[in-house]
Amino acid sequence: MRFTPEKPPLTGETLESLTLRLKERGEPAFRAQQILDWVYKKRARSWDDMTNLSKALRAWLGETFDLLPASLVLGKQSNDVTDKLLLEMRDRSLIETVIIRAPQEGVGLEHSRKTICISTQVGCAMACAFCASGLEGLKRDLSAGEIVAQLLHVCYREDPQTVRAHRELASFDNIVVMGMGEPLANYDNLIRALTILNADWGLGFGARRITVSTSGLVPKILKLAEEPLGFRLAISLHGATDEVRERIMPVNKAFPLAKLLPAVRTFSERHGRMVTLEYILIEDVNDMIDQAGELRDIARDLHAHVNLIPYNTVQGLPWKRPSVTRQEKFADVLRAARIPVTLRREKGHDIDAACGQLRLKTEKDRQALLA
Ligand code: SAH
């Protein structure tokens, strides 16, 4: 389903598109940059904040564009490491954006590294058997402006006042596209949004600190490899043989490992960067030792980093997280082969999964949440 808003969001405009639009109105070329500075550098929340623009221009902008196409309805601190922002789009769709704090040794939580997990769709069509986001299917794609708006809301919350002098404008360290939705199924809006986030005239956020995670849409992985901006790539593997992967990820039928793995190789060769293989550990589904051996061989072959994520149970789904002993045994197979592997066990171990757990809110959930 498509949603065409009454007014296009300003946060979906590039410097080029905005300059063109303003030129039609007879404005000088520098005007677009001035407006984008207000949005991304000075964090203006209303057109009237933009005091170096004439009243007439501000009025025209207000009639022509939606300054920010998402409103914050709830910001909740789920525990000391994650913060979830519940945002409402103009069609009342709800999405979540997650702030994940990774505490650094010896410093307070306010100095922790911050990773922002963003959504790209309302719901998801991939229907992975273990995932909450796809339970109700895909409602719609998010527009580029709606994707960018998520980061602006994070800026308002985390760093409302600061205007840093140069390129580095955001108060967070990484962006992971691991929220609700399959980012590569909304390719054009994704790339437009990431371009805006990366550009000097936008948020100025380094492409190498942006990770796109996919369930494995092979043609789009190959397309992403050709993008001039070098984003990082994470693959939701979750099964090291077709037999196991297919049981939990329907996408494996169209793109089995024999197609997926060469595409991942092409990507990492093109960018000279390690790709991350994400592997959720689900009891008796994919946590068998022979799967660990297969995963080790795949990771070695691709020079990939492996991120093992103990499964987070989802209400209404039967899957379970294996015991810590089993998790460790699985990880040991990879460690023994010197594969770079991460397995989170400390308190707050749900942080990796926090963004894999975003669920399309039904009207009922919405009422409960907002009550
Ligand atoms: N569609 C993209 C990005 C969104 S999901 C993708 O598949 O990569 C982000 C990550 O969270 C994926 O690796 C997904 O498989 C994982 N995930 C989903 N549900 C989870 C759960 N209940 N526990 C742990 N990880 C989960």
Side-chain angles (χ1 to χ4, degrees):
M1 199 182 78
R2 274 187 93 82
F3 163 64
T4 313
E6 213 178 296
K7 293 183 259 184
L10 188 75
T11 49
E13 298 294 323
T14 62
L15 180 62
E16 202 184 2
S17 67
L18 189 61
T19 304
L20 267 175
R21 197 77 177 76
L22 286 159
K23 214 171 151 190
E24 287 164 15
R25 203 183 169 268
E27 292 290 335
F30 63 83
R31 202 65 87 201
Q33 177 73 66
Q34 238 175 0
I35 295 168
L36 295 176
D37 276 357
W38 277 112
V39 175
Y40 296 106
K41 303 193 167 57
K42 302 186 213 160
R43 313 262 153 92
R45 304 287 298 267
S46 83
W47 300 108
D48 282 331
D49 287 346
M50 305 185 183
T51 46
N52 59 359
L53 308 180
S54 72
K55 271 206 168 143
L57 178 58
R58 279 186 256 159
W60 176 82
L61 285 166
E63 283 155 22
T64 312
F65 294 105
D66 190 0
L67 182 52
L68 195 70
S71 342
L72 179 71
V73 286
L74 191 72
K76 84 177 166 198
Q77 190 118 25
S78 351
N79 53 43
D80 46 348
V81 288
T82 66
D83 237 352
K84 289 192 179 185
L85 307 187
L86 183 67
L87 302 177
E88 188 180 64
M89 307 296 119
R90 293 292 178 231
D91 64 348
R92 304 206 69 208
S93 294
L94 293 173
I95 58 160
E96 280 180 306
T97 303
V98 187
I99 304 170
I100 305 157
R101 295 172 220 280
Q104 307 279 84
E105 243 169 86
V107 295
L109 204 60
E110 65 278 17
H111 300 296
S112 53
R113 288 180 67 78
K114 271 183 261 175
T115 297
I116 313 304
C117 176
I118 59 172
S119 297
T120 50
Q121 297 181 313
V122 185
C124 184
M126 303 315 293
C128 298
F130 48 83
C131 179
S133 295
L135 282 178
E136 292 169 52
L138 174 69
K139 188 171 167 203
R140 68 171 175 89
D141 286 338
L142 292 179
S143 68
E146 289 170 324
I147 299 172
V148 172
Q150 295 174 59
L151 280 314
L152 278 176
H153 273 290
V154 173
C155 290
Y156 299 154
R157 188 180 177 89
E158 297 291 300
D159 196 17
Q161 301 298 324
T162 318
V163 180
R164 296 194 176 91
H166 52 273
R167 245 184 96 80
E168 210 53 47
L169 291 161
S171 65
F172 39 86
D173 305 284
N174 294 290
I175 296 175
V176 294
V177 191
M178 294 188 184
M180 194 187 277
E182 168 49 53
L184 297 188
N186 185 14
Y187 193 88
D188 293 344
N189 289 331
L190 172 78
I191 298 298
R192 189 176 175 97
L194 298 186
T195 302
I196 294 169
L197 293 172
N198 171 256
D200 276 337
W201 45 259
L203 209 59
F205 196 81
R208 293 234 175 259
R209 293 191 288 135
I210 301 177
T211 302
V212 177
S213 177
T214 179
S215 58
L217 298 181
V218 167
K220 297 292 165 58
I221 292 172
L222 295 171
K223 202 169 168 193
L224 192 69
E226 297 306 317
E227 292 293 336
L229 298 174
F231 306 115
R232 285 174 180 264
L233 179 67
I235 302 291
S236 293
L237 197 66
H238 310 332
T241 54
D242 281 325
E243 197 216 337
V244 169
R245 193 166 193 263
E246 205 158 297
R247 220 181 289 154
I248 47 179
M249 299 183 71
V251 66
N252 197 70
K253 288 201 182 72
F255 304 115
L257 296 175
K259 288 189 178 152
L260 177 60
L261 301 178
V264 178
R265 179 191 299 283
T266 302
F267 186 96
S268 68
E269 283 176 358
R270 177 78 213 279
H271 290 279
R273 283 280 171 148
M274 257 193 183
V275 167
T276 299
L277 301 176
E278 294 168 273
Y279 197 100
I280 313 178
L281 290 167
I282 312 177
E283 189 175 81
D284 295 331
V285 172
N286 66 358
D287 66 340
M288 298 74 89
I289 288 302
D290 60 326
Q291 285 291 301
E294 300 279 353
L295 179 58
R296 169 200 60 209
D297 296 346
I298 291 173
R300 189 161 41 202
D301 201 43
L302 292 172
H303 300 290
H305 174 262
V306 174
N307 196 12
L308 295 175
I309 308 161
Y311 182 63
N312 253 24
T313 44
V314 172
Q315 216 189 349
L317 295 180
W319 321 97
K320 282 204 208 76
R321 169 185 291 199
S323 69
V324 169
T325 319
R326 254 181 103 129
Q327 295 170 24
E328 286 295 342
K329 272 199 180 144
F330 194 98
D332 280 344
V333 174
L334 297 150
R335 291 182 189 127
R338 298 189 181 279
I339 306 291
V341 53
T342 319
L343 166 66
R344 292 206 196 279
R345 290 217 295 113
E346 69 271 25
K347 183 174 170 281
H349 56 179
D350 56 335
I351 57 174
D352 275 312
C355 30
Q357 291 241 293
L358 307 184
R359 182 174 184 174
L360 177 60
K361 299 286 184 301
T362 59
E363 269 312 308
K364 214 165 98 221
D365 287 339
R366 172 202 294 265
Q367 281 155 15
L369 260 164
L370 301 180

